[in-house]
Amino acid sequence: MKNKITKFMICFALGLTVQAGAYLYMDRVLFAPLASGDYDMSDVKDKVAEAAEKEGKKTFSKVNVKGKAYYSYDYKYMADVTADSVTIYKAEDLSNPQKVDLKNQGVSFFEWMPDRNLALMALYPIHWNGGRWDVTLARYNPEGTTHESDAPIRDLPRDAKIVSVAYSTATNAVYMKMEVGSRLYRIYRTDANYDTRRIYVQTSHIGKIAVFYDEDRLFYDDSQKGIMYTFNGDDSSWRVISPSGAFRLVGLGDDKTIYAAKINSKGEAVAYYTGKLGVGFKEVKALPSPVDFNSVTVHMIHEAALQAASASTK
């Protein structure tokens, strides 16, 4: 009797150990949030990163890419994405690609997460023959036994598509920019519990969207009126954050710096600005002549800010 109890206790303890280990792996590895130093929304790349990128892409150079190539953060995987197909290649086994079952859907958006081998892809009924128009944000894990998990959005206007996605890796909040008409957009939100809902905002002319890596806080702009906003996902509050004048959101930095451009009546960028929530914005560079807003990047404003700071100390 004593031996049976002892064996039972040992098995019970082993079970708890395995369960705890699985939980820790999921919490700290598979779904672990990025540190602020790892989450860089800018396109700043040092020579080491550029060399790693070159070497990583070289691994997949023998693959005959049919669409557009997307590389995972560690270059372990490459996705070949066309309008109606996604094929995942593993660096160590190029001859056995994974062909993602899209369930006869088209692809309007694809992106790897910046810190893990997990892909986000937006699907829509490319071969629609009537009935409801539903779109889906799908998560695909090429390393998992169950590859897919979906967040469907149902009964949308015909031809609606997800065209941009912003995600907070620490909170698992995901915001989707949905095109519902010519230059008309909506915002939808989902999370780890697949609680998917529309976020009602002040405009249909939504420009760029971005999210803090460690907060459920969305940033977006009205591309027509030149107004920037922030939405707090915790309490559903919103407010205007742009200074006086017309401004467009460019993006966010790893230190939660907000990068923006002042625009003229033609929608062209005329000055670069940086800002912080609760602090405000400051001009870092007035441009000698207007430029196309879509050509402005976080890196360009970041570099201008560094030069301005350096000049001020001389």
Side-chain angles (χ1 to χ4, degrees):
M1 182 70 178
K2 200 178 238 184
N3 286 338
K4 289 184 178 180
I5 294 174
T6 302
K7 288 181 180 178
F8 172 77
M9 292 302 293
I10 291 172
C11 291
F12 181 73
L14 285 172
L16 287 176
T17 301
V18 172
Q19 186 177 21
Y23 172 79
L24 285 171
Y25 170 75
M26 291 194 317
D27 184 56
R28 297 185 182 179
V29 180
L30 186 58
F31 298 112
L34 285 160
S36 61
D38 297 328
Y39 188 91
D40 190 353
M41 290 300 289
S42 73
D43 51 355
V44 182
K45 294 181 180 178
D46 59 26
K47 290 183 179 179
V48 175
E50 288 179 352
E53 178 181 350
K54 185 177 181 180
E55 189 63 28
K57 290 182 177 180
K58 184 180 178 181
T59 305
F60 298 96
S61 60
K62 295 180 180 180
V63 176
N64 181 23
V65 178
K66 297 178 181 178
K68 182 177 179 181
Y70 294 84
Y71 301 90
S72 64
Y73 81 104
D74 57 359
Y75 295 95
K76 184 176 181 180
Y77 295 97
M78 182 197 75
D80 179 6
V81 181
T82 71
D84 58 2
S85 70
V86 175
T87 305
I88 309 287
Y89 292 87
K90 187 176 182 179
E92 302 165 355
D93 191 12
L94 295 178
S95 60
N96 293 297
Q98 299 179 25
K99 294 185 178 180
V100 183
D101 181 10
L102 301 181
K103 303 176 178 65
N104 208 32
Q105 303 286 292
V107 184
S108 62
F109 175 89
F110 185 96
E111 190 168 271
W112 290 100
M113 295 287 281
D115 67 331
R116 69 199 77 174
N117 291 316
L118 183 69
L120 295 177
M121 51 189 175
L123 309 177
Y124 70 100
I126 192 172
H127 304 298
W128 186 73
N129 291 315
R132 296 189 318 189
W133 185 278
D134 301 338
V135 305
T136 301
L137 180 69
R139 297 170 175 86
Y140 187 86
N141 178 9
E143 299 177 343
T145 52
T146 303
H147 291 304
E148 300 172 53
S149 53
D150 300 336
I153 305 172
R154 307 189 186 283
D155 294 326
L156 291 164
R158 183 180 173 182
D159 296 326
K161 300 180 186 70
I162 297 170
V163 295
S164 183
V165 174
Y167 36 81
S168 168
T169 53
T171 67
N172 288 317
V174 180
Y175 288 87
M176 297 159 276
K177 177 181 170 182
M178 181 85 68
E179 184 178 24
V180 294
S182 178
R183 298 182 181 180
L184 298 175
Y185 304 93
R186 295 177 185 173
I187 297 291
Y188 287 82
R189 179 194 178 281
T190 191
D191 55 30
N193 297 318
Y194 303 103
D195 177 18
T196 305
R197 59 191 172 93
R198 181 180 175 184
I199 303 298
Y200 289 89
V201 296
Q202 300 72 23
T203 178
S204 296
H205 303 283
I206 300 165
K208 294 190 177 182
I209 63 172
V211 180
F212 278 158
Y213 74 93
D214 63 348
E215 292 182 44
D216 186 356
R217 182 175 287 275
L218 170 72
F219 295 83
Y220 60 98
D221 64 355
D222 183 328
S223 61
Q224 203 171 66
K225 295 182 179 179
I227 303 174
M228 298 189 300
Y229 300 90
T230 183
F231 172 83
N232 187 339
D234 291 333
D235 59 14
S236 297
S237 63
W238 64 270
R239 64 186 175 94
V240 174
I241 61 168
S242 50
S244 178
F247 288 82
R248 293 289 310 278
L249 176 69
V250 176
L252 302 176
D254 58 339
D255 60 350
K256 296 187 176 181
T257 296
I258 305 165
Y259 293 91
K262 188 174 185 178
I263 59 172
N264 60 19
S265 59
K266 296 180 180 179
E268 300 168 317
V270 295
Y272 298 157
Y273 278 69
T274 61
K276 290 285 187 75
L277 276 185
V279 177
F281 287 81
K282 63 179 180 181
E283 181 183 293
V284 295
K285 183 178 181 178
L287 301 179
S289 59
V291 300
D292 179 8
F293 168 75
N294 292 319
S295 69
V296 180
T297 66
V298 167
H299 176 53
M300 293 165 65
I301 303 177
H302 177 75
E303 289 297 307
L306 291 177
Q307 292 173 10
S310 177
S312 67
T313 58
K314 291 180 179 178

